[in-house]
Amino acid sequence: MANLKYSRQRASIKEYLAGTVEHPTADTVYMHVKEEFPNISLGTVYRNLNLLADIGDAVKITTPDGGDRFDGRTEPHYHVVCCSCGKVEDLEMSSEEIASINNAADSIFDGKVTSHTTLFYGTCKDCLEKEK
Amino acid sequence: MANLKYSRQRASIKEYLAGTVEHPTADTVYMHVKEEFPNISLGTVYRNLNLLADIGDAVKITTPDGGDRFDGRTEPHYHVVCCSCGKVEDLEMSSEEIASINNAADSIFDGKVTSHTTLFYGTCKDCLEKEK
DNA sequence: CTATGTGCAAATCCTTTGCATCAAC
DNA sequence: GTTGATGCAAAGGATTTGCACATAG
């Protein structure tokens, strides 16, 4: 288990994640944090995003297309990817419901199920309106 | 919409997918199909796997680590990734239950939800026994 | 004959890593 | 002063793509 040492860069990344409802890619995080730390490198952003995800201060969302996305909200929750614009939004499903899906899976599976990730696909409100 | 033309290579890929319960990576598919077509290229395997996924004759399983995996079973179903050995197994959850999760999400989301993918994490039977 | 598929290799995208230097403790 | 963090650039792995040739229809 590694000993953590404070770093301004990591603090800034964490703060940015906490203050956005977007679900930015590593590159997007990089561009934003760069405003405060012009010399920060993409490698540092990746290292910190992975570190934050490892210690539970962020969530990595694996998506089929393009790069992974990161989320500062750490309680279990779901996401919807808009198939038209690619935006990722939170889906407010109750934690009870999420837990019950885990339990259902565990009771069916011949082994142990401890967690799951779900990614919904659809169309966001904005894109639905544009289609009209 | 492109016109499909028969190809022995594609048929072989499809046949291999249909006959295995593994959830092979593109590379694994490549190595197997290579036994029948020693000159087949990885590019062709990728092109066909994506094509099969597009027309609904295969499913691409996006995983957080390593490459994506492919599945010849096309009815909606879930998967469990073993955190110890990395194996991917089917989870026999009923299609009603899967559909109800979709509906639940659609009723909550401010937009339209049409489908979802879920990946469960846990430990498979074999690895559970080894731990003892 | 024409359109699609193939094999090959190069290119691309995203992410990780090695290393010298810098900052935290 | 020791250890972890950074910046840079190079390496890495998975996947896609451009192109000339082969093959299905």
Side-chain angles (χ1 to χ4, degrees), chain B residues 43-93:
Chain B
T44 297
V45 171
Y46 271 105
R47 271 186 292 237
N48 279 303
L49 286 172
N50 285 332
L51 179 56
L52 291 172
D54 281 349
I55 63 180
D57 279 357
V59 173
K60 189 194 282 203
I61 309 168
T62 302
T63 66
D65 31 49
D68 292 347
R69 288 157 170 278
F70 294 85
D71 193 340
R73 235 180 115 181
T74 56
E75 337 89 67
H77 66 286
Y78 290 153
H79 298 101
V80 185
V81 186
C82 176
C83 296
S84 297
C85 68
K87 189 167 50 184
V88 176
E89 295 183 72
D90 287 336
L91 182 78
E92 305 299 341
M93 198 174 281

Side-chain angles (χ1 to χ4, degrees), chain A residues 13 16-17 24-34 45 49:
Chain A
I13 290 171
Y16 171 63
L17 276 187
T25 60
D27 207 65
T28 304
V29 174
Y30 171 60
M31 291 193 297
H32 278 265
V33 178
K34 201 165 190 167
V45 172
L49 286 173

Side-chain angles (χ1 to χ4, degrees), chain A residues 29-101:
Chain A
V29 174
Y30 171 60
M31 291 193 297
H32 278 265
V33 178
K34 201 165 190 167
E35 289 171 13
E36 191 180 356
F37 296 93
N39 291 329
I40 198 172
S41 77
L42 192 51
T44 297
V45 172
Y46 272 104
R47 270 186 293 237
N48 279 304
L49 286 173
N50 286 331
L51 179 56
L52 290 172
D54 282 349
I55 64 180
D57 280 357
V59 173
K60 189 194 282 202
I61 309 169
T62 302
T63 65
D65 30 48
D68 292 346
R69 287 157 171 278
F70 293 85
D71 192 341
R73 236 181 115 181
T74 56
E75 337 90 66
H77 66 286
Y78 290 152
H79 297 102
V80 185
V81 185
C82 176
C83 296
S84 297
C85 68
K87 189 166 51 184
V88 176
E89 295 183 71
D90 286 336
L91 182 78
E92 306 300 340
M93 199 173 280
S94 74
S95 52
E96 292 76 31
E97 205 155 354
I98 294 178
S100 84
I101 292 173

Side-chain angles (χ1 to χ4, degrees), chain B residues 65-130:
Chain B
D65 31 49
D68 292 347
R69 288 157 170 278
F70 294 85
D71 193 340
R73 235 180 115 181
T74 56
E75 337 89 67
H77 66 286
Y78 290 153
H79 298 101
V80 185
V81 186
C82 176
C83 296
S84 297
C85 68
K87 189 167 50 184
V88 176
E89 295 183 72
D90 287 336
L91 182 78
E92 305 299 341
M93 198 174 281
S94 74
S95 52
E96 291 76 31
E97 204 153 356
I98 293 178
S100 85
I101 291 172
N102 244 356
N103 293 337
D106 188 49
S107 67
I108 295 169
F109 183 59
D110 191 12
K112 181 137 193 55
V113 171
T114 53
S115 68
H116 70 279
T117 59
T118 296
L119 200 53
F120 290 92
Y121 298 89
T123 314
C124 72
K125 195 186 176 188
D126 292 350
C127 287
L128 274 183
E129 281 172 6
K130 278 179 204 152

